[in-house]
Structures are given as structure tokens and as C-alpha cells.
């Protein structure tokens, strides 16, 4: 008791360690210690809920700690305890008064505790208040107006006081785990969005013929329309997009295939459908794209929407992606994936019984179903989705589709086709010095247009017999131009040749920006710049092909998009990559390498002509020789090629892989059920054409027998079962051709695993399918081999590549001893990777091994992806357990191949090494720094970083940080959740 008769409260800290108050500031820390205004200062009455008003994050403590060890306002500034003190003081006064005052005193005590309505309390605090009220009522009933014994009353009061304090602790602990409070304005905004979403959901469920709009914005809240304008500059949709989004099949969530020319705006329709699935139906979505660069671009583009609309954007490309994906309790996710990663993702969802969480699958470039092994993977993925769930909608889109009826039958989909282009395309061909317009109505398909008007000297005529200079100078520098060349070397030769004959005025256009680009290229090459680009960039020209590093390509693409470069010479891969439109597209030849162009390839290339919002028209020019005229007629006027299943390609490798995964995922367990599944594939639709020699049923039986011979499955009279090797193969997405070889290599590696360097591990994860793409330079091989340590040379000899063999090959001598050349080639590639990991300078390694920078980077990317596959492979085989920890770190090193301090920044989608260095040097050294950056400040701080790019980088960093925080929060919630099978008193009695 103090001098005023008030009992002092003391709370003893029971934590075994003292936590720093500076580092542990959370929503439980007094607001005045954290700084900033509080709602406590604004309210007239004190309320218990205001203790939590500033709470944002949630911090959980162990049972051995005092949860409120840092929360001293219970002693210093608690209004509720002050009321309790006043109530006790009144109780003491009541004890000294006659009996007739007892009822009034009890009423006073009740009023002190309930003079505020507490209407904004969390549920747990309402329960606390009800318990206090109930105790007061019971006390009145029990006392019945009688005078209490002073000693007994004192004990009761002390006990009540302790119970109230403990109840407060328990209540605040419950609130710590509850969602944090929000401002009234935020709450109102969320209420409006929630209301619009509920209206949209009701509209979707009650579709009727009279409804032309399912909600404020195609079934989405008005907020989405605002974001489309703010983030994309899109105010209105094209008529075809409006029609497509209001199709009955779309509104009723049936499968759809839609095809339009390139640049028609197909992707926007898919994005709106994705947003509707995420926000209205609260389902996850899968967006499948063919290339890693496209995946990264889409992740950056959707990140801002995800932050504003509260959904996750997750990247599944290369070595990125978690299997199975994190199961989020409060957020939905859109998985943006490459073809291979999408297949692995679907497998993991099937295995964990989560396919019903996947509401929508979008496949871009659907025509790639007919593209070799990747086409087989797309078919397997979609067939599994169709077979395992009836609630997942499939949307396929493409600019080039031939036999659409077969694809419709396979996907059970409807078709929408439109020939809309925002910019009109005019197609031309050039023969000698004459330009002809492509016109299918003409008998020869070509109609005379004009003669080339350009004066050529005799020397120019020899250098440029195809008049490329005349064609490009008609449009540049005022407009942009793309020149597609048949080979990478031809790209470099053509751009160099054009520069020789350009006027000096080209050098003065945007001179400072070109200088910045050259500095960026030099920084990306760690002081080195490609000599061809050094010569051509000042003129506003560059080349673009796979020989450049991804960072160089990105810098060139950005400069072209912003008008700093007006012309690119490129290979056909650019046509299927990111969108880089041009006023004029020139096809240097109707060939890709030595192969004549396909109709679909041609349409993709010429489809780059015409820039919406910039040009009124676009035009393409195909340069022909007289000998190619007849074939070119078919190329420009024939219908699209048909798209055929690839499951039977390469001796049925796709079918083998499909059957193995079906058995491993327990989708099928008998041959008959395998046949039932195959009835839902594109192969089944086209079996008359593809299975002429061997029936589909015979092919299935042969595949089962072959899988048994490879020891991947076991066959009994009752069922088919996968072996441990079979399970490791399909879960690791390892090619069946190499699964047994990989297992042998890993098992042999355990016998003498070299751990004093990473060379042995690098060799084990060097992709088998890259061996044929590089022939060893024997002198380089021998020189690099002699630089290895004795232990590393011994390891090389152990895998089958001894020094004597390399020395003889370098000396040009005949080697009589039989050596496995695939092992030799793999060891050579492993040396390239090992050198790169040691010094992380791609330019010097490329120069040392006489390989292109692009090939080495492709090797690095393939190795990181294969390392991830091998890691999953070893996780299924107990005897290979030592590799798991080793490969986890190696995957990370191969994925980025930079110094450790840059890795956190490079995890942000689209941030390359040179950009990461710029950010790091500017003080943005962690993901948190980047996520909290001001895009305006960032674009002014970092050289050659435009505002749009800065916005995307910050949004991507925020999304990545949010994704990780959400995963950790979900994990915490899972740990704290009461088990559904928790034993009860009833179960104990039964036991």
C-alpha cells in the first residue's frame, strides 16, 4: 500500500534473457516510445482497444518469456487499471458505510468498468468484458444486499485483481495474433472494394443473357479499371476485347482458345480473366509463358497490381519456385511459369491434393504444342489439369493456329478468332530492285508496287547486293526498323555494313543517351564492350541475338524501346520474345540457318511491324532471290501449319514420361486407366494420323514394358507402382534418357566426393543435353587442366578424363584407349562453369575458352536449373542424402554467379548484375532497402534508370518481401493453430 492507500502492482519478468527494447519494438511497445501520434490522444474516453491501435506486425514469444516484459504502460499509463483502482477505493469506502450503501457502491463499481460502450473491441476483449460483467452480476445475486466480512472481502478483491490482470495478459496475447487495426479511411476503401467484388461474384453466379457487364469493370471492381489506366495507360478496351470478355463461354467459365495477329492485345484479356479469378472467385492462377525473359517481364508487370489488390505474384523460372507452392491462408497467388516449371508445379499440386485451389490456367503461344519436347510438356500439363479437376478453366492464346478443331477437341474449348490489328500491316517482297505487295487475290500472290530509288556505287553494290541500306534508310532515324537475319554472325555483319554508309548526322542524334548506353554496356561487361556494339551504337544501331548476355540484350532492348536505338539486326528468336515493334520489318532471307521459314515463324516476324499509338501503319519486306520465288509464294499465302502432338516424338519419350508421372502421382495404377487418361490427350485426337504404324494401345503397352526394364516401375497383376528411382525421376523432372546415368554418376561420386573445391559438384550438375553444343578446344582444355590442383586432376581421372588423354589430344596424337567422349565433353563444360564461379567475370572466361558470352550464360542458366532438378532427385533417394545440403548452396551460386552481397538485389525480377552494383553503391543494399525506396528518387539516383523501370523494380521488391513475410506469417499461424485431432477428455476416456 502506498501513502494514498492504493496498492502498487508489480509484474516480475520471468524471461531468462533481457531483450533489447530498441530491436524489439512491436505493436506491444508503448506508442510514445515508438513515436508518432496515437489514437489514444484523439479519443475523449480511454478504451482498452486503444492499447492495440498502433499494432501492425505480430510478434510471438516462447513460453519461457514474459510476453509483456517490454510493455511497461500497464504500470505507468493504463486507464483501465486506473478505473479498477477507483473501483477498489469505492469498495473500501463502502466497507466503512452502513449496509444501505452497499447496493450503490456495487453499482458504482459496475459503472466504472462499463461507462464506455466498448463497441470497437476485438472479439477476445468483448469476451473479457462479458466475464467482468457476469462476475459483477453473480456477486450481487450472491450477496443479496448483506454486509460483507471485511477480511473475506479483502481476499476476494485481491483475488479478483490478480485474475483481472492475468485475464488482460491473455486477452492482449489473443489480440497480438489477431489482424491489426486499420484507419477508418482504409477500412471504408476495403469495404467498397469488398462490396463490388461480392456484387461481381453474384453476377457471375447468376449469368443471364441480358447482362452485358458482369460488374463495374468486366466483373471486377472499379479500382482495377483505375489501376489499368494508372499503371498501363489503358482507358478503353478494343471492341474485340470487349466482345471476347463478354462471350457466354467466358462468363460461364468454359475453356476458350482465342487467336489474333501479333500486337492485337491478346495478353490484356488474359490478365483481366486472371484478376477476376484471383479477386472474385478467390482462386489461384497459373500463367504459362515460353521463355524466362517473358516470365520475368510478366512478374514485373503484375507486381504493382498484386500490391494494390492484395494477391501474390510468384516467379517459376530457371531455379526459382517452391514445390509444392506455399499454401497461403489469406492471399491468392498467380504463378508465372515457364513451360517446364508449370508442369512441375501442376504435378506438385496434384500430389498434395490442391488442384481445386487452381482456378485458371493461361497458356500463351499455344501453338507451341507442336514444338518438339516442349510441346509434349505443354500437352502433359494441360491433360493432367483436364483429368484431375473439373473446376479449373483453361485459356489458350496464340497469333498462329492451324488445325484449331483438334485443339478445341483436346481442350474441350470454344474458339474465338479475329483479324484485328491496332495498326494496319502491309506485306511486301523484294526481287532485285523491285518491290511487290503481297496480295492473295493475285494469281502469283505478288502485285507490283514500286522500284527502289537509291543510287548505289559499284563498291556499295558489291557490299550490299540485296539493297538493305536503301530499305533501312527510307525509315531511319525518324522511325524504327528491325532486320531479321538467318544467322547470328550475319546479324553482326549486316549492322556493321549499314554503319559504314550512314551519314554523319546519325552520330549527333541523342548523343548523350548513346554515351550512357555504352557506359552501361561497359559496366555490364566489367570494363569490356563488344567491339561491334562500340562501333554501331553511336549511329543508333545494334544487333540482338543469343550470343549477347542477358544483361546486354536487356540494355539494347530498353534503348530500342526508348528510341535511343533506331535499328536492330536480330535473329528469329526476337519475334517470339518480348514485344519490340517497328515501323518496318525486313527479312534478310526466307531461311533460318539452312531451314526454310515456316508460315508461323514468318507471321511472327512480320507481326512486329506497326507500333500502336505511334505509327498509322506498319510494313514488312521479305528479300527474295529468284530461285526462292516459288517457295516464297507458299510462305506468304498458304494457311498456317497444323499443330501435332509430340508425345510420340523421339521414340515416344514424351509418352514414357507421362505414364511414369501418372503412376507416381497415383492418377492411374493400371494399364486400362492409363489408356483412359490418354483418351483425353491431343495424341488421342490425332491418333489416326500419328499412330498409323502402331496403335495407341500398343504404344502404351510398349511404354509400360520399357519403364519396367529401366527399373522405374514395377508391374504386378493388380497394379503399377513406381520404384524409388522412378519417383525421383519424375519429381526431379529429369529426362528419362539420363535418369539412370545420373543415378550412377551420383552414386559413384559418393565414393570419392571432392569437397575442397566445387569442381566435382559442378561436374555432376552439368547438363547432359549441353554436351553436343560445344566441342572442346584441346589446347585450351589442356592449359586449363594443368591449372587444377592435384586433387582436382585426380577427380577428373576418376570420372574418366585422365591428363594423358587430354595431353595426347592437344598434341594431335592418336589415342588408342577408348574414352567416353560424352564424359570428356561434360568435363570440359564443367571447367568452364568452375572458372566462372571462381572469378565471376563472364567476359574473361569467354575469351579464355573461345566461346560466346551468350553460350556461357546459357550454360550457366541451364546448369542452375538442372542443379535444382538434381536436388529434387536426391531428396527422393535416401542413399544420396549428403548431396542435399551441398546442392542447395550450389543452386544459389549458379543462379546468380555474383559476389554474395549482390545476391539479395538480384533476386528481384529483372535486376541484372550491373544494375545490382549501381543499387548497392547507391546505398540500396538489401531487399528491404529496395522495397522502401522512392521510385522518383531511385530513377534520379541511378544512371539510365527510367521512372517506369524504377516503379517496376520497387514493386517487384515489395512483392518479393511481402511474399516472404506472408509465408512466414502463415507458417507461424500454422504452428499456433490448435490441431484438429487434439485429444479431448472424451477420447481419453475411450482409451
Amino acid at each position: 500500500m502506498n501513502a494514498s492507500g492504493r496498492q502498487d502492482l508489480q509484474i516480475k519478468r520471468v524471461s531468462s534473457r533481457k531483450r533489447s527494447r530498441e530491436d524489439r519494438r512491436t505493436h506491444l511497445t508503448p506508442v510514445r516510445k515508438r513515436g508518432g501520434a496515437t489514437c489514444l490522444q484523439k479519443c475523449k474516453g480511454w478504451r482498452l482497444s486503444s492499447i492495440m491501435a498502433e499494432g501492425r506486425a505480430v510478434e510471438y514469444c516462447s513460453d519461457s518469456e514474459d510476453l509483456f516484459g517490454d510493455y511497461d504502460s500497464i504500470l505507468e499509463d493504463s486507464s483501465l487499471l486506473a478505473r479498477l483502482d477507483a473501483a477498489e477505493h469505492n469498495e473500501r469506502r463502502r466497507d466503512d458505510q452502513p449496509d444501505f450503501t452497499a447496493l450503490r457502491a456495487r453499482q458504482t463499481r459496475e459503472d466504472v468498468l462499463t461507462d464506455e460502450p466498448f463497441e470497437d473491441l476485438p472479439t477476445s476483449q468483448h469476451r473479457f468484458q462479458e466475464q467482468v460483467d457476469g462476475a459483477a452480476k453473480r456477486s450481487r445475486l450472491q450477496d443479496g444486499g448483506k454486509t460483507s466480512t471485511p477480511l473475506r472481502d479483502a481476499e476476494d478483491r485481491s483475488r479478483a485483481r490478480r485474475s483481472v490482470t492475468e485475464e488482460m495478459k491473455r486477452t492482449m496475447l489473443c489480440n497480438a495474433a489477431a489482424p491489426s487495426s486499420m484507419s477508418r479511411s482504409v477500412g471504408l476503401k476495403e469495404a467498397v472494394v469488398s462490396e463490388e467484388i461480392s456484387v461481381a461474384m453474384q453476377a457471375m453466379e447468376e449469368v443471364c443473357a441480358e447482362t452485358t457487364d458482369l460488374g463495374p469493370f468486366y466483373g471486377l471492381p472499379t479500382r482495377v479499371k483505375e489501376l489499368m489506366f494508372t499503371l498501363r495507360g489503358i482507358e478503353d478496351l478494343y471492341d474485340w476485347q470487349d466482345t471476347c470478355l463478354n462471350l457466354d463461354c467466358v462468363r460461364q467459365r468454359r475453356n476458350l482458345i482465342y487467336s489474333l495477329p501479333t500486337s492485337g492485345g491478346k495478353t490484356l484479356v488474359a490478365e483481366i480473366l486472371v484478376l477476376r479469378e484471383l479477386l472474385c472467385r478467390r482462386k489461384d492462377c497459373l500463367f504459362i509463358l515460353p521463355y524466362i525473359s517473358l516470365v520475368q517481364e510478366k512478374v514485373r508487370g503484375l507486381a504493382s497490381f498484386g500490391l494494390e489488390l492484395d494477391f501474390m505474384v510468384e516467379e517459376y523460372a530457371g531455379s526459382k519456385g517452391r514445390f509444392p507452392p506455399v499454401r497461403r491462408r489469406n492471399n491468392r497467388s498467380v504463378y508465372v511459369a515457364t513451360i517446364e516449371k508449370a508442369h512441375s508445379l501442376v504435378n506438385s499440386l496434384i500430389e498434395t491434393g490442391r488442384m481445386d485451389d487452381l482456378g485458371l490456367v493461361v497458356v500463351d503461344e499455344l501453338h507451341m504444342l507442336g514444338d518438339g519436347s516442349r510441346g509434349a510438356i505443354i500437352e502433359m500439363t494441360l491433360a493432367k489439369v483436364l483429368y484431375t479437376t473439373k473446376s479449373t478453366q483453361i485459356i489458350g492464346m496464340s497469333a498462329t493456329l492451324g488445325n484449331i478443331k483438334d485443339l478445341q477437341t483436346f481442350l474441350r474449348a470454344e474458339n474465338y478468332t479475329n483479324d484485328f490489328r491496332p495498326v494496319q500491316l502491309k506485306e511486301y517482297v523484294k526481287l532485285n530492285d523491285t518491290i511487290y505487295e503481297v496480295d492473295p487475290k493475285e494469281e502469283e500472290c505478288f502485285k507490283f508496287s514500286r522500284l527502289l530509288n537509291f543510287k548505289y556505287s559499284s563498291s556499295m553494290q558489291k557490299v550490299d547486293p540485296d539493297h538493305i541500306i536503301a530499305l533501312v534508310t527510307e525509315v531511319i532515324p525518324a522511325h524504327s526498323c528491325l532486320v531479321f537475319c538467318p544467322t547470328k554472325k550475319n546479324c553482326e555483319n549486316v549492322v556493321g555494313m549499314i554503319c559504314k554508309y550512314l551519314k554523319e548526322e546519325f552520330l549527333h542524334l541523342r548523343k548523350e543517351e548513346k554515351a550512357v548506353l555504352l557506359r552501361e554496356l561497359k559496366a555490364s561487361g566489367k570494363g569490356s564492350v563488344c567491339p561491334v556494339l562500340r562501333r554501331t551504337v553511336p549511329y543508333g544501331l545494334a544487333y540482338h541475338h543469343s550470343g549477347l548476355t542477358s544483361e546486354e540484350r536487356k540494355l539494347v532492348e530498353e534503348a530500342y524501346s526508348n528510341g535511343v536505338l533506331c535499328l536492330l539486326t536480330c535473329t528469329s528468336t526476337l519475334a517470339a520474345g518480348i514485344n519490340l515493334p517497328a515501323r518496318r520489318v525486313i527479312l534478310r532471307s526466307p531461311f533460318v540457318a539452312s531451314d526454310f521459314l515456316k508460315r508461323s515463324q514468318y507471321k511472327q516476324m512480320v507481326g512486329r511491324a506497326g507500333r500502336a499509338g505511334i505509327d498509322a501503319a506498319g510494313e514488312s519486306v521479305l528479300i527474295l532471290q529468284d530461285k526462292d520465288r516459288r517457295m516464297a509464294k507458299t510462305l506468304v499465302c498458304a494457311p498456317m501449319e497444323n499443330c501435332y502432338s509430340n508425345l510420340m516424338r523421339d521414340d515416344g519419350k514424351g509418352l514414357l514420361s507421362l505414364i511414369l508421372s501418372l503412376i507416381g502421382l497415383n492418377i492411374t495404377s493400371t494399364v486400362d486407366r492409363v489408356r483412359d487418361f490418354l483418351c483425353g490427350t491431343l495424341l488421342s485426337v490425332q491418333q489416326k494420323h500419328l499412330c498409323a504404324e502402331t496403335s495407341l494401345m500398343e504404344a502404351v503397352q510398349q511404354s509400360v514394358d520399357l519403364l519396367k526394364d529401366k527399373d522405374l516401375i514395377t508391374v504386378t497383376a493388380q497394379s503399377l507402382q513406381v520404384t524409388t528411382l522412378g519417383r525421383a525421376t519424375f519429381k526431379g523432372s529429369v529426362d528419362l534418357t539420363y535418369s539412370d546415368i545420373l543415378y550412377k554418376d551420383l552414386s559413384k561420386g559418393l565414393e570419392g566426393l571432392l569437397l575442397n573445391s566445387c569442381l566435382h559438384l559442378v561436374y555432376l550438375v552439368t547438363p547432359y543435353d549441353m554436351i553436343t553444343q560445344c566441342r572442346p578446344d584441346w589446347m585450351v582444355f589442356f592449359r586449363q587442366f594443368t591449372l587444377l590442383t592435384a586433387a582436382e586432376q585426380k577427380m577428373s581421372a576418376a570420372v574418366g578424363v585422365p591428363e594423358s588423354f587430354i595431353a595426347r589430344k592437344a598434341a594431335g596424337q592418336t589415342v588408342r584407349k577408348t574414352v567416353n567422349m560424352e564424359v570428356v565433353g561434360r568435363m570440359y563444360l564443367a571447367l568452364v562453369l568452375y572458372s566462372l564461379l571462381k572469378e565471376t567475370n563472364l567476359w574473361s572466361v569467354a575469351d579464355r575458352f573461345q566461346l560466346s558470352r551468350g553460350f556461357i550464360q546459357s550454360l550457366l542458366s541451364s546448369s542452375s536449373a538442372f542443379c535444382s532438378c538434381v536436388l529434387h532427385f536426391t531428396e527422393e533417394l535416401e542413399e544420396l542424402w549428403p548431396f542435399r545440403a551441398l546442392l542447395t548452396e550450389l543452386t544459389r551460386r549458379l543462379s546468380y554467379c555474383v559476389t554474395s552481397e549482390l545476391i539479395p538485389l538480384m533476386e528481384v525480377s529483372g535486376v541484372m548484375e550491373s544494375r545490382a552494383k549501381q543499387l548497392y553503391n547507391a546505398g540500396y543494399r538489401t531487399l528491404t532497402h529496395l522495397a522502401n525506396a522512392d521510385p522518383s528518387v531511385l530513377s534520379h539516383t541511378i544512371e539510365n534508370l527510367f521512372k517506369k523501370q524504377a516503379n517496376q523494380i520497387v514493386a517487384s521488391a515489395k512483392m518479393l518481401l511481402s511474399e516472404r513475410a506472408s509465408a512466414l506469417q502463415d507458417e507461424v499461424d500454422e504452428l499456433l493453430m490448435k490441431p484438429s485431432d487434439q485429444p479431448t477428455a472424451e477420447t481419453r476416456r475411450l482409451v
Side-chain angles (χ1 to χ4, degrees):
M1 289 292 219
N2 56 21
S4 63
R6 175 178 172 179
Q7 183 178 354
D8 290 330
L9 290 177
Q10 292 185 352
I11 298 176
K12 183 179 180 181
R13 188 188 303 273
V14 297
S15 174
S16 59
R17 57 185 175 88
K18 183 174 180 66
R19 296 171 293 171
S20 169
R21 298 192 178 199
E22 293 298 324
D23 295 336
R24 294 284 182 169
R25 289 177 177 173
T26 68
H27 62 283
L28 296 178
T29 308
V31 178
R32 65 177 181 278
K33 294 188 179 183
R34 286 180 283 151
T38 73
C39 63
L40 292 177
Q41 297 168 336
K42 299 176 183 178
C43 297
K44 294 181 179 179
W46 295 89
R47 296 181 180 177
L48 181 63
S49 61
S50 61
I51 296 173
M52 303 300 298
E54 289 293 311
R56 288 280 178 176
V58 178
E59 182 177 22
Y60 294 91
C61 303
S62 67
D63 294 338
S64 63
E65 291 186 280
D66 178 8
L67 179 66
F68 302 96
D70 281 342
Y71 190 80
D72 296 336
S73 63
I74 289 181
L75 303 180
E76 300 171 5
D77 195 23
S78 173
S79 60
L80 184 57
L81 289 184
R83 295 182 192 174
L84 291 173
D85 289 337
E88 289 190 354
H89 183 65
N90 289 334
E91 281 286 321
R92 287 193 294 273
R93 290 178 57 189
R94 183 190 61 77
D95 292 341
D96 298 331
Q97 292 175 350
D99 291 349
F100 63 84
T101 63
L103 183 60
R104 183 184 303 170
R106 293 181 188 280
Q107 184 64 47
T108 302
R109 180 177 62 186
E110 181 180 4
D111 292 343
V112 171
L113 288 174
T114 60
D115 62 345
E116 287 286 349
F118 288 92
E119 72 276 5
D120 60 343
L121 293 180
T123 305
S124 57
Q125 293 184 8
H126 273 300
R127 288 199 298 269
F128 165 62
Q129 180 62 30
E130 290 168 0
Q131 292 169 4
V132 173
D133 293 342
K137 291 177 181 178
R138 286 194 299 273
S139 177
R140 289 197 299 272
L141 291 174
Q142 291 171 359
D143 289 349
K146 297 178 182 179
T147 304
S148 302
T149 305
L151 181 59
R152 179 181 176 183
D153 278 2
E155 292 174 352
D156 290 342
R157 286 196 301 273
S158 177
R159 186 163 50 251
R161 182 60 177 268
R162 286 196 303 271
S163 65
V164 167
T165 303
E166 293 302 318
E167 185 64 24
M168 283 184 62
K169 280 196 175 185
R170 287 194 293 271
T171 299
M172 294 179 73
L173 177 57
C174 291
N175 289 340
S180 60
S181 60
M182 62 181 70
S183 67
R184 183 176 293 274
S185 60
V186 173
L188 289 174
K189 286 181 181 179
E190 291 199 358
V192 171
V193 173
S194 299
E195 178 65 23
E196 288 187 344
I197 289 177
S198 64
V199 170
M201 290 179 67
Q202 184 177 1
M204 290 178 69
E205 293 171 357
E206 300 174 2
V207 176
C208 59
E210 295 79 19
T211 304
T212 57
D213 189 355
L214 300 181
F217 181 66
Y218 299 99
L220 287 165
T222 308
R223 177 63 177 148
V224 177
K225 185 176 183 179
E226 294 170 355
L227 288 173
M228 282 290 178
F229 178 73
T230 304
L231 300 175
R232 299 280 181 83
I234 298 172
E235 191 167 6
D236 296 305
L237 271 62
Y238 295 129
D239 290 342
W240 83 263
Q241 292 171 328
D242 179 80
T243 301
C244 187
L245 286 167
N246 284 300
L247 292 172
D248 285 342
C249 64
V250 173
R251 292 158 61 185
Q252 295 168 11
R253 297 192 69 258
R254 296 198 298 271
N255 298 344
L256 172 69
I257 300 171
Y258 63 97
S259 55
L260 285 96
T262 301
S263 303
K266 298 184 294 297
T267 305
L268 179 60
V269 170
E271 289 180 349
I272 290 174
L273 294 176
V274 165
L275 292 175
R276 198 156 72 186
E277 198 70 23
L278 290 165
L279 302 180
C280 299
R281 299 193 69 248
R282 303 296 296 167
K283 294 286 187 178
D284 297 328
C285 299
L286 173 59
F287 209 125
I288 305 175
L289 296 160
Y291 305 112
I292 293 177
S293 60
L294 293 179
V295 168
Q296 292 175 340
E297 184 182 31
K298 185 60 63 182
V299 168
R300 292 194 299 273
L302 290 176
S304 297
F305 286 93
L307 292 172
E308 294 288 341
L309 300 172
D310 196 27
F311 63 84
M312 296 296 172
V313 183
E314 301 185 39
E315 180 180 344
Y316 280 77
S319 60
K320 291 185 178 180
R322 296 179 63 171
F323 301 104
V326 177
R327 187 165 197 167
R328 307 188 188 281
R329 300 174 62 192
N330 301 317
N331 300 89
R332 296 289 91 188
S333 295
V334 52
Y335 310 115
V336 187
T338 56
I339 293 169
E340 294 78 11
K341 286 289 186 177
H343 184 226
S344 298
L345 182 63
V346 167
N347 282 345
S348 69
L349 292 175
I350 293 172
E351 188 174 26
T352 53
R354 292 169 51 188
M355 277 301 293
D356 288 338
D357 292 342
L358 192 62
L360 176 66
V361 175
V362 176
V363 186
D364 195 8
E365 309 293 352
L366 186 63
H367 64 274
M368 291 189 73
L369 269 168
D371 185 18
S373 60
R374 304 193 83 203
I377 295 174
I378 297 175
E379 183 176 350
M380 288 188 277
T381 303
L382 296 179
K384 288 174 183 175
V385 172
L386 290 167
Y387 190 85
T388 55
T389 175
K390 305 301 179 186
S391 60
T392 302
Q393 184 183 18
I394 296 176
I395 302 292
M397 53 182 175
S398 177
T400 54
L401 286 174
N403 51 337
I404 188 67
K405 291 295 183 183
D406 285 354
L407 302 184
Q408 282 185 257
T409 304
F410 164 44
L411 296 177
R412 307 162 204 165
E414 298 190 25
N415 179 42
Y416 176 81
T417 303
N418 196 303
D419 59 359
F420 170 82
R421 274 185 58 91
V423 178
Q424 183 184 3
L425 172 64
K426 295 181 179 180
E427 297 179 39
Y428 300 93
V429 297
K430 187 191 83 68
L431 275 167
N432 300 319
D433 59 352
T434 305
I435 305 293
Y436 297 90
E437 183 177 356
V438 175
D439 187 355
K441 297 178 183 178
E442 294 288 323
E443 184 177 351
E444 294 295 319
C445 281
F446 304 136
K447 181 174 68 175
F448 174 80
S449 176
R450 64 187 175 92
L451 292 173
L452 271 179
N453 184 20
F454 191 88
K455 294 181 179 180
Y456 267 77
S457 65
S458 57
S459 60
M460 282 184 65
Q461 186 66 36
K462 291 179 181 179
V463 174
D464 183 25
D466 294 324
H467 307 103
I468 295 175
I469 296 172
L471 291 172
V472 301
T473 51
E474 287 179 345
V475 291
I476 63 170
H479 302 284
S480 58
C481 182
L482 293 175
V483 181
F484 284 100
C485 301
T487 65
K488 289 183 285 188
K489 189 62 179 176
N490 193 236
C491 286
E492 299 176 33
N493 292 338
V494 169
V495 73
M497 180 264 295
I498 295 173
C499 281
K500 289 180 181 179
Y501 297 96
L502 291 180
K503 297 178 181 178
E504 190 176 342
E505 64 187 49
F506 278 81
L507 294 170
H508 302 300
L509 296 171
R510 308 185 74 162
K511 186 175 182 179
E512 293 182 358
E513 291 165 283
K514 293 172 187 174
V516 171
L517 174 59
L518 283 172
R519 288 200 298 271
E520 293 283 330
L521 289 169
K522 186 175 182 179
S524 72
K526 297 185 178 181
S528 301
V529 181
C530 171
V532 176
L533 292 178
R534 188 189 297 116
R535 186 171 71 255
T536 63
V537 166
Y539 286 92
L541 279 63
Y543 69 90
H544 184 289
H545 59 60
S546 60
L548 294 172
T549 66
S550 57
E551 192 162 5
E552 288 174 313
R553 289 199 299 270
K554 184 174 178 60
L555 289 170
V556 167
E557 290 162 4
E558 290 175 353
Y560 177 82
S561 297
N562 292 308
V564 178
L565 299 176
C566 60
L567 180 143
L568 293 182
T569 58
C570 50
T571 53
S572 59
T573 53
L574 183 108
I578 64 174
N579 187 25
L580 292 177
R583 172 65 175 269
R584 175 176 290 180
V585 170
I586 299 171
L587 279 68
R588 169 77 174 74
S589 166
F591 290 88
V592 173
S594 58
D595 299 324
F596 199 79
L597 276 177
K598 295 179 181 178
R599 169 74 171 163
S600 58
Q601 291 175 313
Y602 169 78
K603 293 301 289 184
Q604 279 190 324
M605 290 179 184
V606 301
R608 294 299 178 196
R611 298 173 297 171
I614 301 175
D615 297 323
E619 54 190 28
S620 67
V621 180
L622 171 61
I623 298 175
L624 296 176
Q625 307 300 323
D626 287 325
K627 61 184 178 64
D628 300 324
R629 180 167 183 163
R630 181 172 298 179
M631 295 177 66
K633 177 181 175 182
T634 304
L635 177 65
V636 299
C637 296
M640 292 293 177
E641 298 93 352
N642 288 337
C643 177
Y644 291 110
S645 169
N646 280 274
L647 288 180
M648 296 296 291
R649 183 187 177 95
D650 296 334
D651 298 323
K653 188 165 66 175
L655 184 60
L656 283 169
S657 179
L658 174 59
I659 294 174
L660 177 64
S661 64
L662 292 178
I663 299 170
L665 293 169
N666 295 320
I667 295 176
T668 60
S669 58
T670 64
V671 174
D672 290 338
R673 291 190 63 186
V674 171
R675 292 168 181 166
D676 292 340
F677 180 94
L678 289 176
C679 290
T681 62
L682 181 61
L683 176 61
S684 176
V685 175
Q686 299 173 335
Q687 61 179 314
K688 290 183 179 179
H689 179 80
L690 299 176
C691 303
E693 298 179 1
T694 304
S695 70
L696 184 57
M697 298 305 104
E698 291 174 342
V700 169
Q701 189 59 56
Q702 290 174 5
S703 298
V704 169
D705 293 340
L706 187 55
L707 290 171
K708 181 184 177 183
D709 293 341
K710 285 179 169 286
D711 195 29
L712 297 175
I713 65 171
T714 58
V715 181
T716 64
Q718 291 76 25
S719 64
L720 306 174
Q721 297 290 333
V722 292
T723 62
T724 52
L725 178 60
R727 181 171 298 279
T729 300
F730 89 81
K731 291 198 72 173
S733 300
V734 176
D735 192 319
L736 292 181
T737 308
Y738 308 117
S739 63
D740 55 341
I741 302 174
L742 175 63
Y743 178 70
K744 291 176 182 177
D745 286 346
L746 291 172
S747 299
K748 185 178 179 181
L750 285 177
E751 298 173 5
L753 187 60
L754 179 67
L755 293 177
N756 59 358
S757 84
C758 64
L759 178 60
H760 199 171
L761 285 174
V762 168
Y763 169 79
L764 292 173
V765 300
T766 301
Y768 295 96
D769 55 4
M770 294 286 290
I771 298 170
T772 57
Q773 299 181 33
C774 176
R775 292 183 178 179
D777 182 317
W778 298 110
M779 285 301 298
V780 172
F781 198 170
F782 182 69
R783 191 179 304 117
Q784 296 303 311
F785 189 90
T786 57
L787 297 176
L788 297 177
T789 65
E792 290 169 340
Q793 291 181 3
K794 184 178 179 181
M795 182 280 295
S796 177
V799 299
V801 189
E803 181 182 9
S804 58
F805 170 79
I806 303 172
R808 285 179 175 275
K809 294 293 287 187
Q813 299 176 3
T814 303
V815 180
R816 297 179 181 178
K817 186 178 180 180
T818 303
V819 175
N820 187 332
M821 292 305 296
E822 291 187 350
V823 173
V824 173
R826 197 172 181 218
M827 190 67 210
Y828 185 70
L829 294 180
L831 278 178
V832 176
L833 289 170
Y834 182 53
S835 299
L836 191 58
L837 287 176
K838 282 200 300 184
E839 55 185 283
T840 70
N841 190 327
L842 191 147
W843 278 77
S844 63
V845 173
D847 183 62
R848 187 182 311 148
F849 285 88
Q850 295 298 298
L851 296 170
S852 73
R853 304 182 301 282
F855 172 79
I856 292 180
Q857 193 166 63
S858 176
L859 173 64
L860 184 67
S861 176
S862 298
S863 298
S864 68
F866 186 58
C867 187
S868 177
C869 292
V870 175
L871 174 59
H872 294 303
F873 182 86
T874 60
E875 287 173 345
E876 299 300 320
L877 295 164
E878 187 60 34
E879 64 269 28
L880 299 179
W881 67 266
F883 285 110
R884 295 169 197 169
L886 297 171
L887 294 180
T888 300
E889 177 58 26
L890 184 61
T891 301
R892 182 178 171 88
R893 291 186 63 187
L894 288 171
S895 297
Y896 303 106
C897 195
V898 293
T899 53
S900 58
E901 66 268 14
L902 297 181
I903 289 179
L905 298 176
M906 291 191 65
E907 289 177 339
V908 177
S909 183
V911 174
M912 302 294 183
E913 183 179 1
S914 63
R915 183 72 78 205
K917 285 182 178 178
Q918 287 179 311
L919 292 168
Y920 187 86
N921 293 333
Y924 301 96
R925 301 190 172 186
T926 66
L927 190 62
T928 307
H929 285 147
L930 209 51
N932 288 280
D934 184 335
S936 299
V937 175
L938 198 64
S939 62
H940 284 94
T941 304
I942 306 300
E943 189 178 30
N944 201 31
L945 181 64
F946 298 98
K947 181 69 178 296
K948 179 181 178 181
Q949 297 167 334
N951 282 324
Q952 288 184 336
I953 287 175
V954 172
S956 296
K958 285 182 177 178
M959 177 57 65
L960 191 56
L961 203 63
S962 176
E963 179 188 330
R964 292 180 180 179
S966 177
L968 289 173
Q969 184 62 63
D970 288 343
E971 188 175 347
V972 169
D973 292 344
E974 191 74 23
L975 288 171
L976 296 179
M977 186 181 296
K978 183 179 179 180
S980 58
D981 57 350
Q982 179 71 26
T984 62
E986 183 66 26
T987 58
R988 286 197 295 270
R989 281 197 296 271
L990 291 174
V991 173

